[in-house]
Amino acid sequence: MDSALAQARALIRQIPDYPIPGISFQDLTPLLAHGPSFQAVISEFMPLAQACDVVAGVEARGFIFAAAIAYATGLGFVPIRKKGKLPFDTHEESYGLEYGSDVIAIHQDAIEIGSRVLLIDDVLATGGTICAGIRLISRSGGTVSAVGSVLEISSLESRKRIALEFPEVPVHSIFTV
Amino acid sequence: MDSALAQARALIRQIPDYPIPGISFQDLTPLLAHGPSFQAVISEFMPLAQACDVVAGVEARGFIFAAAIAYATGLGFVPIRKKGKLPFDTHEESYGLEYGSDVIAIHQDAIEIGSRVLLIDDVLATGGTICAGIRLISRSGGTVSAVGSVLEISSLESRKRIALEFPEVPVHSIFTV
């Protein structure tokens, strides 16, 4: 790992008992607040993005990384949001979280048919959100070329879960805990 | 307006009666999905950002633009989120919206004392969110050097409201409706 990336890694902090007791939350905000670390992380995603037509990000923290990747590569950005937050006609998918469950949505016209999509979220926990995101993109006529995350919590086995449902989709995480 | 920017403007669509009857929602997602338009919009913010130390964005759509601006200029990014969404100690401020009211928060350690902050949101409606954001940044020890938005809804008079509370803060909107 190069030094800029090592510095970025060191800026991720753990918040104990958030959002509920027993969960240690991985807080990326100190990394984001440090410009060189944010750039170093985005640079790591560039090779993935260059084989894609569009970058999708999951609300809300996934937007931060996905939008910067889209800008950096000249690709378009597509938001995947919580149900009820997108104003136009949507597809919806439900999923289980590390703590609770939720429904996410995508605009039905967001993805051009046949587009290769880089799907980004900040943290890979159980992989439930990402699997729902892949289903949404598939229903929209696109193909997820790769999943990218900044931090993968390996004990929650997102990689195994994604591989079970979508064995053809590679998963790239910059850091692992 | 140059042609890339004119194309970006043409991609903003109006969704009638969203989120409630009588409101016409300004939907920027078609602009975001078109890489050259997204880049053209971000480029317009670069001169503002170059006089700042950090870029703050308001959840969730403000994250998209603020993160890309931060990446493009090498600055750090600071998220301003809805109450309860940030894991560390926060400052909070309430505000009235075009439809309803809400509370936003910032990490107490997000801004270095004396930092010059570019504060970004996607759409300027009444200006209530932005005024709350300026108060949050001020309480954190920073100074908002400028407010930037992609689209200003001039009939809602955000500019007047911001000028009343913060006459020293310039407001830059790329498009106006």
Side-chain angles (χ1 to χ4, degrees), chain B residues 73-107:
Chain B
T73 49
L75 300 177
F77 166 81
V78 169
I80 293 177
R81 300 205 62 175
K82 302 288 164 60
K83 177 181 175 174
K85 295 283 188 178
L86 286 167
F88 194 62
D89 298 335
T90 57
H91 297 301
E92 296 181 355
E93 289 281 342
S94 65
Y95 63 102
L97 274 173
E98 188 179 356
Y99 26 81
S101 75
D102 224 328
V103 177
I104 54 174
I106 195 169
H107 274 157

Side-chain angles (χ1 to χ4, degrees), chain A residues 93-105:
Chain A
E93 287 281 343
S94 64
Y95 63 102
L97 275 172
E98 187 179 356
Y99 25 82
S101 75
D102 224 327
V103 177
I104 54 174

Side-chain angles (χ1 to χ4, degrees), chain B:
Chain B
M1 195 183 297
D2 72 21
S3 66
L5 216 49
Q7 188 173 20
R9 178 67 186 88
L11 287 169
I12 299 174
R13 68 177 162 189
Q14 285 68 52
I15 310 283
D17 299 320
Y18 184 91
I20 57 170
I23 298 287
S24 183
F25 187 86
Q26 302 288 333
D27 179 16
L28 305 187
T29 62
L31 182 165
L32 291 167
H34 183 244
S37 292
F38 184 39
Q39 285 195 325
V41 164
I42 297 304
S43 295
E44 289 291 303
F45 289 114
M46 301 287 280
L48 284 181
Q50 275 151 5
C52 293
D53 303 305
V54 67
V55 184
V58 181
E59 179 174 11
R61 293 184 302 266
F63 285 7
I64 299 165
F65 297 97
I69 296 164
Y71 172 83
T73 49
L75 300 177
F77 166 81
V78 169
I80 293 177
R81 300 205 62 175
K82 302 288 164 60
K83 177 181 175 174
K85 295 283 188 178
L86 286 167
F88 194 62
D89 298 335
T90 57
H91 297 301
E92 296 181 355
E93 289 281 342
S94 65
Y95 63 102
L97 274 173
E98 188 179 356
Y99 26 81
S101 75
D102 224 328
V103 177
I104 54 174
I106 195 169
H107 274 157
Q108 289 181 11
D109 66 348
I111 306 277
E112 285 184 44
I113 306 293
S115 287
R116 298 163 301 170
V117 182
L118 173 60
L119 176 59
I120 297 289
D121 205 355
D122 63 334
V123 172
L124 275 184
T126 66
T129 318
I130 285 295
C131 285
I134 297 172
R135 293 196 297 272
L136 285 174
I137 289 164
S138 175
R139 287 174 60 188
S140 305
T143 301
V144 174
S145 295
V147 164
S149 86
V150 180
L151 182 66
E152 179 174 337
I153 304 172
S154 58
S155 62
L156 296 172
E157 301 196 322
S158 58
R159 195 169 282 267
K160 191 187 283 184
R161 178 171 176 169
I162 297 167
L164 261 174
E165 192 172 342
F166 302 102
E168 73 286 6
V169 177
V171 176
H172 298 266
S173 299
I174 298 177
F175 307 120
T176 302
V177 67

Side-chain angles (χ1 to χ4, degrees), chain A residues 30-52:
Chain A
L31 182 165
L32 291 167
H34 184 243
S37 292
F38 184 39
Q39 284 195 324
V41 164
I42 297 304
S43 295
E44 289 292 302
F45 289 114
M46 301 286 280
L48 285 181
Q50 275 150 6
C52 294

